[in-house]
Short mmCIF file of all heavy atoms in Angstrom, two decimals:
data_model
loop_
_atom_site.label_atom_id
_atom_site.label_comp_id
_atom_site.label_asym_id
_atom_site.label_seq_id
_atom_site.Cartn_x
_atom_site.Cartn_y
_atom_site.Cartn_z
N SER A 1368 0.22 -16.62 -5.34
CA SER A 1368 0.71 -16.22 -4.01
C SER A 1368 1.05 -17.59 -3.31
O SER A 1368 0.26 -18.20 -2.71
CB SER A 1368 -0.11 -15.48 -3.16
OG SER A 1368 0.60 -14.98 -2.05
N ALA A 1369 2.32 -18.02 -3.46
CA ALA A 1369 2.75 -19.31 -3.04
C ALA A 1369 2.82 -19.47 -1.50
O ALA A 1369 2.57 -20.56 -0.86
CB ALA A 1369 4.15 -19.75 -3.55
N ASN A 1370 2.98 -18.33 -0.77
CA ASN A 1370 3.15 -18.32 0.66
C ASN A 1370 1.82 -18.09 1.43
O ASN A 1370 1.88 -18.11 2.62
CB ASN A 1370 4.24 -17.45 1.09
CG ASN A 1370 3.90 -16.05 0.84
OD1 ASN A 1370 3.48 -15.59 -0.26
ND2 ASN A 1370 4.05 -15.15 1.80
N LEU A 1371 0.68 -17.73 0.75
CA LEU A 1371 -0.53 -17.68 1.41
C LEU A 1371 -1.25 -18.96 1.29
O LEU A 1371 -1.71 -19.33 0.16
CB LEU A 1371 -1.40 -16.54 0.87
CG LEU A 1371 -0.67 -15.12 0.79
CD1 LEU A 1371 -1.71 -14.05 0.42
CD2 LEU A 1371 0.14 -14.82 2.12
N VAL A 1372 -1.37 -19.67 2.41
CA VAL A 1372 -1.87 -21.11 2.40
C VAL A 1372 -3.07 -21.32 3.18
O VAL A 1372 -3.36 -20.52 4.13
CB VAL A 1372 -0.74 -22.11 2.69
CG1 VAL A 1372 0.39 -21.91 1.74
CG2 VAL A 1372 -0.40 -21.80 4.10
N GLY A 1376 -2.02 -26.31 4.19
CA GLY A 1376 -0.67 -25.91 3.66
C GLY A 1376 -0.68 -25.74 2.07
O GLY A 1376 0.41 -25.55 1.56
N GLU A 1377 -1.87 -25.82 1.51
CA GLU A 1377 -1.96 -25.65 -0.03
C GLU A 1377 -2.13 -24.20 -0.17
O GLU A 1377 -2.81 -23.50 0.52
CB GLU A 1377 -3.14 -26.43 -0.44
CG GLU A 1377 -3.05 -27.92 -0.24
CD GLU A 1377 -1.91 -28.50 -0.89
OE1 GLU A 1377 -1.57 -28.01 -2.10
OE2 GLU A 1377 -1.21 -29.45 -0.39
N PRO A 1378 -1.65 -23.67 -1.34
CA PRO A 1378 -1.86 -22.30 -1.72
C PRO A 1378 -3.31 -21.90 -1.72
O PRO A 1378 -4.15 -22.52 -2.41
CB PRO A 1378 -1.28 -22.18 -3.20
CG PRO A 1378 -0.20 -23.19 -3.15
CD PRO A 1378 -0.77 -24.41 -2.27
N TYR A 1379 -3.67 -20.79 -1.06
CA TYR A 1379 -5.06 -20.42 -0.77
C TYR A 1379 -5.70 -19.94 -1.97
O TYR A 1379 -6.96 -20.12 -2.21
CB TYR A 1379 -5.09 -19.38 0.42
CG TYR A 1379 -6.41 -18.98 0.93
CD1 TYR A 1379 -7.00 -19.69 1.97
CD2 TYR A 1379 -7.23 -18.01 0.25
CE1 TYR A 1379 -8.25 -19.36 2.48
CE2 TYR A 1379 -8.55 -17.70 0.75
CZ TYR A 1379 -9.03 -18.44 1.77
OH TYR A 1379 -10.30 -18.18 2.31
N GLY A 1381 -4.95 -20.70 -5.12
CA GLY A 1381 -4.81 -21.58 -6.26
C GLY A 1381 -3.46 -21.75 -6.70
O GLY A 1381 -2.72 -22.44 -6.02
N LYS A 1382 -3.05 -21.13 -7.76
CA LYS A 1382 -1.68 -21.39 -8.35
C LYS A 1382 -0.61 -20.64 -7.66
O LYS A 1382 -0.70 -19.50 -7.43
CB LYS A 1382 -1.71 -21.01 -9.81
CG LYS A 1382 -2.61 -21.82 -10.70
CD LYS A 1382 -2.33 -21.50 -12.16
CE LYS A 1382 -3.22 -22.45 -13.10
NZ LYS A 1382 -2.90 -22.20 -14.50
N PRO A 1383 0.47 -21.30 -7.28
CA PRO A 1383 1.71 -20.66 -6.77
C PRO A 1383 2.52 -20.12 -7.91
O PRO A 1383 3.24 -19.17 -7.74
CB PRO A 1383 2.47 -21.80 -5.98
CG PRO A 1383 1.98 -22.98 -6.66
CD PRO A 1383 0.54 -22.85 -7.15
N TYR A 1384 2.48 -20.78 -9.14
CA TYR A 1384 3.27 -20.30 -10.28
C TYR A 1384 2.55 -20.68 -11.60
O TYR A 1384 1.61 -21.52 -11.63
CB TYR A 1384 4.64 -20.90 -10.16
CG TYR A 1384 4.81 -22.52 -10.40
CD1 TYR A 1384 4.97 -22.91 -11.72
CD2 TYR A 1384 4.65 -23.33 -9.41
CE1 TYR A 1384 5.06 -24.22 -12.01
CE2 TYR A 1384 4.70 -24.70 -9.58
CZ TYR A 1384 4.90 -25.18 -10.92
OH TYR A 1384 5.10 -26.52 -11.14
N ILE A 1385 3.03 -20.06 -12.66
CA ILE A 1385 2.52 -20.50 -14.00
C ILE A 1385 3.83 -20.82 -14.83
O ILE A 1385 4.92 -20.28 -14.55
CB ILE A 1385 1.73 -19.33 -14.65
CG1 ILE A 1385 2.49 -18.06 -14.78
CG2 ILE A 1385 0.37 -19.17 -13.91
CD1 ILE A 1385 1.82 -16.99 -15.65
N ILE A 1386 3.58 -21.56 -15.94
CA ILE A 1386 4.50 -21.81 -16.94
C ILE A 1386 4.00 -21.34 -18.30
O ILE A 1386 2.88 -21.61 -18.67
CB ILE A 1386 4.93 -23.32 -17.01
CG1 ILE A 1386 5.47 -23.88 -15.75
CG2 ILE A 1386 5.81 -23.55 -18.19
CD1 ILE A 1386 6.85 -23.27 -15.41
N ALA A 1396 8.89 -19.44 -16.35
CA ALA A 1396 8.17 -19.70 -15.08
C ALA A 1396 8.07 -18.38 -14.35
O ALA A 1396 8.88 -17.63 -14.35
CB ALA A 1396 8.84 -20.70 -14.19
N VAL A 1397 6.87 -18.19 -13.81
CA VAL A 1397 6.58 -17.00 -12.97
C VAL A 1397 6.02 -17.50 -11.68
O VAL A 1397 4.91 -18.15 -11.69
CB VAL A 1397 5.57 -16.02 -13.61
CG1 VAL A 1397 5.27 -14.83 -12.73
CG2 VAL A 1397 5.96 -15.67 -15.05
N VAL A 1398 6.64 -17.32 -10.57
CA VAL A 1398 6.18 -17.65 -9.26
C VAL A 1398 5.85 -16.42 -8.46
O VAL A 1398 6.68 -15.40 -8.49
CB VAL A 1398 7.16 -18.55 -8.53
CG1 VAL A 1398 8.51 -17.95 -8.44
CG2 VAL A 1398 6.71 -19.04 -7.16
N GLY A 1399 4.79 -16.33 -7.80
CA GLY A 1399 4.29 -15.23 -6.98
C GLY A 1399 4.40 -15.48 -5.43
O GLY A 1399 3.98 -16.54 -5.00
N VAL A 1400 4.86 -14.41 -4.75
CA VAL A 1400 4.77 -14.43 -3.27
C VAL A 1400 4.41 -13.04 -2.77
O VAL A 1400 4.52 -12.08 -3.49
CB VAL A 1400 6.13 -14.89 -2.54
CG1 VAL A 1400 6.35 -16.43 -2.67
CG2 VAL A 1400 7.33 -14.11 -3.12
N LYS A 1420 2.79 -17.62 5.39
CA LYS A 1420 4.09 -18.25 5.59
C LYS A 1420 5.19 -17.29 5.14
O LYS A 1420 4.97 -16.40 4.37
CB LYS A 1420 4.23 -19.55 4.75
CG LYS A 1420 3.18 -20.71 5.18
CD LYS A 1420 3.25 -21.84 4.28
CE LYS A 1420 4.56 -22.55 4.30
NZ LYS A 1420 4.57 -23.77 3.43
N ASP A 1421 6.35 -17.55 5.72
CA ASP A 1421 7.55 -16.63 5.45
C ASP A 1421 7.75 -16.59 3.95
O ASP A 1421 7.91 -17.62 3.25
CB ASP A 1421 8.71 -17.05 6.20
CG ASP A 1421 9.92 -16.12 5.94
OD1 ASP A 1421 10.61 -16.32 4.99
OD2 ASP A 1421 10.17 -15.35 6.88
N ALA A 1422 7.74 -15.31 3.28
CA ALA A 1422 7.81 -15.24 1.96
C ALA A 1422 9.25 -15.71 1.43
O ALA A 1422 9.34 -16.40 0.27
CB ALA A 1422 7.61 -13.77 1.48
N LEU A 1423 10.23 -15.35 2.13
CA LEU A 1423 11.59 -15.77 1.68
C LEU A 1423 11.78 -17.36 1.69
O LEU A 1423 12.19 -17.92 0.75
CB LEU A 1423 12.67 -15.23 2.66
CG LEU A 1423 14.08 -15.69 2.55
CD1 LEU A 1423 14.67 -15.22 1.13
CD2 LEU A 1423 14.95 -15.02 3.59
N THR A 1424 11.37 -17.94 2.86
CA THR A 1424 11.44 -19.44 2.88
C THR A 1424 10.67 -20.14 1.90
O THR A 1424 11.17 -21.12 1.23
CB THR A 1424 11.05 -19.88 4.34
OG1 THR A 1424 11.82 -19.15 5.31
CG2 THR A 1424 11.28 -21.37 4.57
N THR A 1425 9.46 -19.62 1.74
CA THR A 1425 8.54 -20.28 0.69
C THR A 1425 9.03 -20.16 -0.66
O THR A 1425 9.01 -21.12 -1.46
CB THR A 1425 7.06 -19.75 0.88
OG1 THR A 1425 6.63 -19.79 2.19
CG2 THR A 1425 6.17 -20.38 0.01
N LEU A 1426 9.47 -18.99 -0.98
CA LEU A 1426 9.95 -18.80 -2.37
C LEU A 1426 11.26 -19.61 -2.63
O LEU A 1426 11.34 -20.21 -3.76
CB LEU A 1426 10.46 -17.27 -2.53
CG LEU A 1426 10.83 -16.93 -3.93
CD1 LEU A 1426 9.80 -17.27 -4.91
CD2 LEU A 1426 11.36 -15.49 -4.02
N LYS A 1427 12.04 -19.82 -1.64
CA LYS A 1427 13.15 -20.71 -1.75
C LYS A 1427 12.79 -22.18 -2.03
O LYS A 1427 13.34 -22.82 -3.07
CB LYS A 1427 13.99 -20.69 -0.58
CG LYS A 1427 15.40 -21.52 -0.57
CD LYS A 1427 16.17 -21.36 0.79
CE LYS A 1427 16.54 -19.98 1.15
NZ LYS A 1427 17.42 -19.94 2.27
N GLN A 1428 11.79 -22.59 -1.39
CA GLN A 1428 11.25 -23.96 -1.64
C GLN A 1428 10.71 -24.19 -3.03
O GLN A 1428 10.92 -25.07 -3.76
CB GLN A 1428 10.22 -24.33 -0.60
CG GLN A 1428 10.73 -24.41 0.78
CD GLN A 1428 9.65 -24.44 1.79
OE1 GLN A 1428 8.41 -24.11 1.54
NE2 GLN A 1428 10.00 -24.67 3.05
N TRP A 1429 9.86 -23.15 -3.58
CA TRP A 1429 9.19 -23.20 -4.79
C TRP A 1429 10.16 -22.96 -5.90
O TRP A 1429 10.05 -23.71 -6.91
CB TRP A 1429 8.06 -22.21 -4.84
CG TRP A 1429 6.83 -22.75 -4.16
CD1 TRP A 1429 6.40 -22.39 -2.86
CD2 TRP A 1429 5.92 -23.74 -4.68
NE1 TRP A 1429 5.17 -23.06 -2.58
CE2 TRP A 1429 4.86 -23.98 -3.68
CE3 TRP A 1429 5.79 -24.45 -5.80
CZ2 TRP A 1429 3.85 -24.78 -3.77
CZ3 TRP A 1429 4.69 -25.35 -6.01
CH2 TRP A 1429 3.86 -25.50 -5.01
N VAL A 1430 11.14 -22.15 -5.75
CA VAL A 1430 12.06 -22.02 -6.90
C VAL A 1430 12.86 -23.33 -7.00
O VAL A 1430 13.13 -23.76 -8.19
CB VAL A 1430 13.11 -20.89 -6.60
CG1 VAL A 1430 14.34 -20.84 -7.49
CG2 VAL A 1430 12.40 -19.53 -6.71
N LYS A 1431 13.34 -23.98 -5.93
CA LYS A 1431 13.92 -25.21 -6.17
C LYS A 1431 13.11 -26.24 -6.77
O LYS A 1431 13.53 -26.98 -7.75
CB LYS A 1431 14.35 -25.79 -4.69
CG LYS A 1431 15.17 -26.98 -4.67
CD LYS A 1431 15.66 -27.32 -3.17
CE LYS A 1431 16.56 -28.50 -3.13
NZ LYS A 1431 15.87 -29.72 -3.52
N LEU A 1432 11.81 -26.29 -6.43
CA LEU A 1432 10.87 -27.29 -7.02
C LEU A 1432 10.69 -27.04 -8.50
O LEU A 1432 10.65 -27.90 -9.33
CB LEU A 1432 9.51 -27.22 -6.32
CG LEU A 1432 8.39 -28.22 -6.74
CD1 LEU A 1432 7.59 -28.67 -5.56
CD2 LEU A 1432 7.52 -27.60 -7.80
N ILE A 1433 10.49 -25.72 -8.88
CA ILE A 1433 10.28 -25.34 -10.19
C ILE A 1433 11.46 -25.69 -11.10
O ILE A 1433 11.32 -26.16 -12.18
CB ILE A 1433 9.90 -23.83 -10.31
CG1 ILE A 1433 8.48 -23.63 -9.60
CG2 ILE A 1433 9.87 -23.32 -11.72
CD1 ILE A 1433 8.16 -22.12 -9.45
N GLN A 1434 12.58 -25.31 -10.59
CA GLN A 1434 13.83 -25.63 -11.35
C GLN A 1434 13.96 -27.06 -11.62
O GLN A 1434 14.44 -27.45 -12.71
CB GLN A 1434 15.04 -25.09 -10.67
CG GLN A 1434 15.18 -23.42 -10.59
CD GLN A 1434 15.34 -22.87 -12.00
OE1 GLN A 1434 15.39 -23.49 -12.96
NE2 GLN A 1434 15.82 -21.57 -11.94
N GLU A 1435 13.73 -27.90 -10.59
CA GLU A 1435 13.95 -29.33 -10.80
C GLU A 1435 12.86 -30.04 -11.65
O GLU A 1435 13.17 -30.84 -12.40
CB GLU A 1435 13.87 -29.96 -9.33
CG GLU A 1435 15.13 -29.68 -8.47
CD GLU A 1435 14.96 -30.22 -7.13
OE1 GLU A 1435 13.97 -30.82 -6.71
OE2 GLU A 1435 15.88 -30.14 -6.36
N GLU A 1436 11.58 -29.57 -11.49
CA GLU A 1436 10.42 -30.29 -12.12
C GLU A 1436 10.16 -29.68 -13.45
O GLU A 1436 9.72 -30.34 -14.34
CB GLU A 1436 9.21 -30.39 -11.23
CG GLU A 1436 9.46 -31.10 -9.95
CD GLU A 1436 8.14 -31.42 -9.22
OE1 GLU A 1436 7.00 -30.89 -9.63
OE2 GLU A 1436 8.19 -31.96 -8.11
N GLU A 1437 10.26 -28.40 -13.62
CA GLU A 1437 9.85 -27.67 -14.83
C GLU A 1437 11.09 -27.41 -15.73
O GLU A 1437 10.87 -27.29 -16.95
CB GLU A 1437 9.01 -26.40 -14.45
CG GLU A 1437 7.87 -26.57 -13.56
CD GLU A 1437 6.66 -27.17 -14.21
OE1 GLU A 1437 6.81 -27.52 -15.48
OE2 GLU A 1437 5.61 -27.42 -13.53
N GLN A 1438 12.24 -27.20 -15.14
CA GLN A 1438 13.42 -26.82 -15.89
C GLN A 1438 13.13 -25.67 -16.80
O GLN A 1438 13.35 -25.74 -18.09
CB GLN A 1438 14.00 -28.01 -16.54
CG GLN A 1438 14.40 -29.14 -15.61
CD GLN A 1438 14.92 -30.34 -16.41
OE1 GLN A 1438 14.84 -30.43 -17.56
NE2 GLN A 1438 15.36 -31.28 -15.59
N PRO A 1439 12.63 -24.51 -16.35
CA PRO A 1439 12.46 -23.34 -17.28
C PRO A 1439 13.74 -22.79 -17.73
O PRO A 1439 14.73 -22.88 -17.09
CB PRO A 1439 11.64 -22.36 -16.34
CG PRO A 1439 12.26 -22.61 -14.91
CD PRO A 1439 12.45 -24.11 -14.90
N LEU A 1442 13.28 -17.91 -15.04
CA LEU A 1442 12.51 -17.93 -13.89
C LEU A 1442 12.24 -16.58 -13.35
O LEU A 1442 13.25 -15.91 -12.87
CB LEU A 1442 13.05 -18.94 -12.81
CG LEU A 1442 11.98 -19.23 -11.68
CD1 LEU A 1442 12.21 -20.62 -11.14
CD2 LEU A 1442 12.05 -18.30 -10.47
N ILE A 1443 11.11 -16.07 -13.18
CA ILE A 1443 10.68 -14.77 -12.72
C ILE A 1443 9.98 -15.00 -11.36
O ILE A 1443 9.03 -15.66 -11.37
CB ILE A 1443 9.75 -14.13 -13.67
CG1 ILE A 1443 10.39 -13.94 -15.10
CG2 ILE A 1443 9.32 -12.72 -13.18
CD1 ILE A 1443 9.36 -13.63 -16.20
N ALA A 1444 10.51 -14.32 -10.35
CA ALA A 1444 9.73 -14.30 -9.12
C ALA A 1444 9.16 -12.88 -9.02
O ALA A 1444 9.78 -11.79 -9.16
CB ALA A 1444 10.74 -14.46 -7.93
N ILE A 1476 18.67 -17.24 -2.52
CA ILE A 1476 17.98 -18.22 -3.33
C ILE A 1476 18.62 -18.35 -4.64
O ILE A 1476 18.76 -17.39 -5.31
CB ILE A 1476 16.46 -17.79 -3.52
CG1 ILE A 1476 15.67 -17.60 -2.25
CG2 ILE A 1476 15.71 -18.73 -4.48
CD1 ILE A 1476 14.25 -17.10 -2.35
N ASN A 1477 18.96 -19.55 -4.94
CA ASN A 1477 19.52 -19.81 -6.21
C ASN A 1477 18.46 -20.22 -7.27
O ASN A 1477 17.56 -20.95 -6.97
CB ASN A 1477 20.57 -21.04 -6.15
CG ASN A 1477 21.70 -20.68 -5.22
OD1 ASN A 1477 22.35 -19.60 -5.27
ND2 ASN A 1477 22.18 -21.68 -4.45
N GLY A 1478 18.62 -19.67 -8.46
CA GLY A 1478 17.72 -20.01 -9.51
C GLY A 1478 16.71 -18.91 -9.97
O GLY A 1478 16.01 -19.20 -10.81
N ILE A 1479 16.74 -17.72 -9.32
CA ILE A 1479 15.93 -16.64 -9.80
C ILE A 1479 16.69 -15.84 -10.81
O ILE A 1479 17.85 -15.34 -10.56
CB ILE A 1479 15.53 -15.78 -8.54
CG1 ILE A 1479 14.75 -16.54 -7.48
CG2 ILE A 1479 14.69 -14.61 -9.09
CD1 ILE A 1479 14.47 -15.76 -6.33
#
Side-chain angles (χ1 to χ4, degrees):
S1368 191
N1370 65 310
L1371 306 191
V1372 301
E1377 300 296 324
Y1379 189 91
K1382 292 187 176 184
Y1384 70 92
I1385 58 169
I1386 298 292
V1397 181
V1398 56
V1400 285
K1420 295 175 67 178
D1421 185 278
L1423 171 64
T1424 305
T1425 305
L1426 184 60
K1427 186 180 295 185
Q1428 295 165 350
W1429 280 102
V1430 167
K1431 185 173 185 292
L1432 181 147
I1433 292 167
Q1434 291 288 16
E1435 290 174 354
E1436 296 191 1
E1437 305 285 0
Q1438 297 179 352
L1442 193 147
I1443 303 163
I1476 302 176
N1477 295 320
I1479 299 174

